[in-house]
């Protein structure tokens, strides 16, 4: 059976799904039978563009399990005459969110032929559909910290967001030409672990404990509180949180939670991951802080510093060269200044590009 004949997968031109306007490739949804070739497409693209991170087969397996963003109607694969995937796009959206997120890749041999523009058009039309579906189901609503909501009870105006590293100039140019604008800058920051590690003891009444499965739900709820006032943040439900804590690269042994000793409530958390493959591409090993947060009522007591110092020690003990993280350049908590004080320095910039779409 060829990949063109994979059963149970809707063609992108069937039903109400939008059509990709690039007839040189055959377009259809992705499915479990495509995992290897889909991952190979992303790897070929990454080899040419050298992003800091890209999806691998294990990530795609997790994506296949999503109920909120089912792969069938929310992906397209473009296959050549030999059945080899040469391009793909994927859309995700929270049911009550004010934006959708777009992801795509084009095989280096097929770039600069108009495939990227066709994928953007598909993502935009699918975004409109998702917003209409949510409004029809009575689930539309503005996500926390995002502009674009309608007034008078109307749902939010469709908005598509795409993240691109600043160094990927040809993709940035395509987005600009297609009517997207930069709405936020994010800095990747590194801290060498060869330098002396900071001491950051916790206040009396607070204790640092390992991240364990039994704490996951309490940390999720704390995370939603912490990020309620952060730009672009939307609450994480059980499924999206599961994608974080069960990520193939997640390292609970490199993570930690701060609790209030008297009540056991979550005060702050540092959730880390490690990608062993980055050492080959980047020439060093790193422990990456995916999420760091401190509940508002506990801020100013050195909790974030204690979590970062603990992370550095965990990373160093695991034999890693650097501690790394990403931060919104306009983070309202002053995170950038804190990270600099802890020895982190910016090394790479990513851009959030938005386009507000007419329904």
């Amino acid at each position: 059976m060829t990949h063109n004949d994979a059963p149970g997968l809707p063609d992108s031109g069937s039903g109400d799904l939008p059509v990709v306007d690039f007839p040189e490739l055959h377009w259809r949804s992705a499915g479990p039978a495509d995992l290897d070739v889909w991952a190979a497409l992303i790897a070929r693209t990454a080899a040419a563009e050298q992003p800091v991170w890209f999806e691998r087969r294990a990530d795609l397996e997790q994506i296949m399990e999503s109920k909120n963003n089912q792969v069938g109607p929310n992906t397209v694969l473009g296959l050549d005459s030999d059945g080899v995937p040469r391009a793909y796009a994927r859309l995700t959206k929270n049911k009550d969110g004010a934006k959708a997120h777009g992801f795509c890749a084009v095989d280096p041999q097929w770039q600069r032929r108009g495939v990227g523009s066709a994928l953007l058009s598909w993502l935009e039309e699918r975004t409109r559909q998702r917003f209409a579906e949510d409004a029809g189901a009575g689930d539309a609503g503005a996500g926390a910290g995002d502009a674009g909501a309608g007034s008078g009870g109307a749902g939010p105006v469709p908005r598509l967001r795409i993240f691109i590293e600043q160094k990927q100039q040809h993709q940035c140019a395509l987005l600009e030409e297609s009517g997207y604008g930069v709405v936020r800058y994010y800095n990747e920051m590194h801290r060498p672990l060869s330098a002396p590690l900071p001491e950051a003891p916790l206040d009396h009444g607070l204790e640092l404990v390992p991240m364990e499965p039994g704490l996951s739900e309490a940390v999720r709820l704390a995370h939603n509180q912490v990020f309620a006032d952060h730009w672009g943040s939307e609450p994480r439900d059980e499924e999206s949180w599961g994608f974080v804590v069960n990520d193939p690269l997640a390292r609970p042994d490199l993570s930690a939670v701060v609790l209030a000793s008297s009540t056991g409530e979550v005060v702050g958390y540092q959730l880390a991951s490690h990608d062993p493959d980055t050492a080959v591409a980047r020439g060093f090993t790193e422990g990456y802080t995916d999420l760091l947060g401190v509940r508002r009522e506990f801020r100013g007591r050195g909790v974030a510093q204690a979590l970062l110092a603990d992370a550095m020690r965990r990373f160093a003990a695991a034999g890693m060269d650097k501690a790394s993280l990403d931060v919104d350049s306009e983070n309202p908590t002053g995170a950038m200044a804190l990270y600099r004080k802890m020895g982190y320095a910016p090394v790479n910039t990513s851009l959030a590009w938005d386009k507000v779409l007419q329904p």
Side-chain angles (χ1 to χ4, degrees), residues 19 40 117 123-124 139 143 162 165 193 222 224 229-230 291 332 351:
V19 176
S117 296
L123 285 167
E124 291 171 12
D139 291 331
I162 297 176
E165 291 180 39
L193 297 174
N224 287 343
D229 59 352
H230 281 52
L291 293 175
L351 314 176

Side-chain angles (χ1 to χ4, degrees), residues 161-177:
R161 180 166 299 162
I162 297 176
F163 287 91
I164 295 291
E165 291 180 39
Q166 191 173 43
K167 66 184 180 183
Q168 296 171 334
Q169 289 297 307
H170 70 288
Q171 296 180 3
C172 291
L174 173 59
L175 290 171
E176 187 172 15
E177 293 167 2

Side-chain angles (χ1 to χ4, degrees), residues 3 6-10 28-39 42 55-77 85 88-92 239 243 248:
H3 291 287
L9 302 176
R28 61 163 175 79
S29 300
D34 299 307
L35 283 169
D36 288 332
V37 292
W38 186 4
I42 296 173
E55 295 161 329
R56 297 178 173 84
R57 192 184 194 281
D59 300 300
L60 301 181
E61 289 176 358
Q62 193 176 52
I63 288 167
M64 286 284 176
E65 298 172 0
S66 176
K67 295 181 174 60
N68 295 336
N69 292 285
Q70 296 182 17
V71 170
N74 294 301
T75 64
V76 283
L77 280 177
Y88 101 94
R90 178 171 67 89
L91 189 82
T92 67
E239 179 181 279
F243 283 3

Side-chain angles (χ1 to χ4, degrees), residues 85-287:
R86 298 296 184 179
Y88 101 94
R90 178 171 67 89
L91 189 82
T92 67
K93 182 184 179 297
N94 291 335
K95 290 183 179 179
D96 59 350
K99 62 186 176 298
H101 286 102
F103 308 83
C104 55
V106 179
D107 189 302
Q109 296 182 15
W110 283 75
Q111 292 180 5
R112 306 185 191 282
R113 301 190 194 184
V115 185
S117 296
L119 289 176
L120 279 181
S121 296
W122 183 89
L123 285 167
E124 291 171 12
E125 185 56 32
R126 184 63 188 132
T127 296
R128 293 185 182 95
Q129 289 183 344
R130 288 292 300 270
F131 274 80
E133 290 165 6
D134 287 354
D139 291 331
D146 243 324
S151 60
V157 176
R159 178 188 297 265
L160 178 59
R161 180 166 299 162
I162 297 176
F163 287 91
I164 295 291
E165 291 180 39
Q166 191 173 43
K167 66 184 180 183
Q168 296 171 334
Q169 289 297 307
H170 70 288
Q171 296 180 3
C172 291
L174 173 59
L175 290 171
E176 187 172 15
E177 293 167 2
S178 303
Y180 291 76
V182 177
V183 293
R184 213 71 166 187
Y185 292 83
Y186 292 84
N187 293 292
E188 180 190 5
M189 305 186 77
H190 287 178
R191 204 280 190 188
L193 297 174
S194 56
L197 303 182
E199 296 289 343
L202 281 170
D203 277 359
H204 177 73
L206 302 177
E207 60 177 323
L208 188 146
V209 300
M211 175 62 183
E212 298 177 348
L215 288 171
S216 180
E217 178 62 8
V219 174
R220 179 183 77 86
L221 296 175
H223 173 79
N224 287 343
Q225 292 179 8
V226 168
F227 281 83
D229 59 352
H230 281 52
W231 180 90
S233 179
E234 295 176 356
R236 294 182 186 257
D237 61 12
E238 289 84 353
E239 179 181 279
S240 61
W241 186 252
F243 283 3
V244 174
V245 295
N246 299 318
D247 186 278
L249 302 179
R251 289 289 297 270
D253 60 313
L254 304 178
S255 308
V257 181
V258 172
L259 303 176
S261 302
S262 59
T263 64
E265 64 182 322
V266 172
V267 170
Y269 52 90
Q270 187 273 140
L271 303 186
S273 63
H274 170 62
D275 184 353
D277 293 332
T278 59
V280 177
R282 307 189 81 182
F284 57 85
T285 56
E286 62 181 315

Side-chain angles (χ1 to χ4, degrees), residues 282-329:
R282 307 189 81 182
F284 57 85
T285 56
E286 62 181 315
Y288 179 75
T289 293
D290 289 283
L291 293 175
L292 177 74
V294 179
R295 289 174 54 190
R296 179 182 294 275
E297 59 268 36
F298 292 96
R299 292 173 188 170
R301 297 178 60 181
V303 176
Q305 292 94 317
L307 284 164
L308 288 172
D310 175 76
M312 292 179 196
R313 282 175 168 72
R314 291 174 187 267
F315 298 160
M320 297 178 193
D321 301 317
K322 299 178 187 291
S324 65
L325 47 77
D326 282 90
V327 61
D328 179 347
S329 62

